[in-house]
Amino acid sequence: MTAKIIDGNKIAQQIRGEVAGEVAALKAKGIEPGLVVVLVGEDPASVVYVRNKEKACQEVGIKTTTTRLPATASEAEVLQIVKKLNEDPHVHGILVQLPLPKQVDENKVLNAISPRKDVDGFHPVNVGKLLVGEADFMPCTPAGIQQLLIRSGNDPNGRHVVVCGRSNIVGKPVAAILVQKQPGANATVTICHTGTKDMAAITRLADILVVASGRPNTVTAEMVKPGVVVIDVGVNRIEDASKKSGFRLVGDVDFEGVSQKASYITPVPGGVGPMTIAMLLANTVKAARLAAEK
Ligand code: GUN
């Protein structure tokens, strides 16, 4: 079997088109959805993410600004900015780009964001709501994974989803989303992690495999059953002398090997990545709508 590619760029574009329609409808009612991104320091990956977010917002008509602070900013300064944004009625969504410099406590900052403006879905109130099946804002990457599955014709309903990785950003929330007794979910979910004794024995049981381990080649061909649907969340830079930049991006899955056995697979880049920003746009529009309904 040679896997069909799940095209994240195409599905993300579809969602961005839907969001643009919702933005236009809100604007017709006098509401302009607004997102503020807070960027502390100049971590190169973060600078690229933030630039892409700004561009995507502009394309769908969301007003966006970026508040930039030096890498030396204190925790109090960051918290002060979050407080001001919480109080600003023109700001519907607040996103503090992670990672933060080490002198700033990430949890303290995330907990300070108003849950109504938490378009990342990282605030404990939103994490709790997600777990009980009443999510306002689902974290963007896991929500994007659910959309990739649904829109590629791989509804998780009744299937065994195995997740590799237990991070708060991907592994735990994607498991929480897909286990809900809700449309587009209702899966049997197993989470593997660094404490798992025989990971291959578990990944081989997967109908759908979500790999977010942060390590290349976590999943190889002998670890999957024929026909599995594979979502590769990894983004790893590996050296490649044949490239002008000297590196290339690979996921957490051995694409060459696994794509020979899988029925569907996401590429890296062009799979999960574009979905994260699309879902951020969707969450921002939802925040603006909820604020208007208040
Ligand atoms: N850094 C890497 N991914 C993310 C994300 O989804 N949200 C935020 N705020 N920071 C990130």
Side-chain angles (χ1 to χ4, degrees), residues 49 53 95-98 120 122 276:
Y49 283 140
K53 283 170 190 165
L95 184 145
V96 177
Q97 184 65 35
L98 304 177
D120 254 331
F122 293 162
T276 300

Side-chain angles (χ1 to χ4, degrees), residues 247-260:
F247 70 87
R248 69 188 160 97
L249 292 181
V250 297
D252 293 346
V253 173
D254 168 26
F255 184 90
E256 290 302 314
V258 172
S259 62
Q260 300 302 311

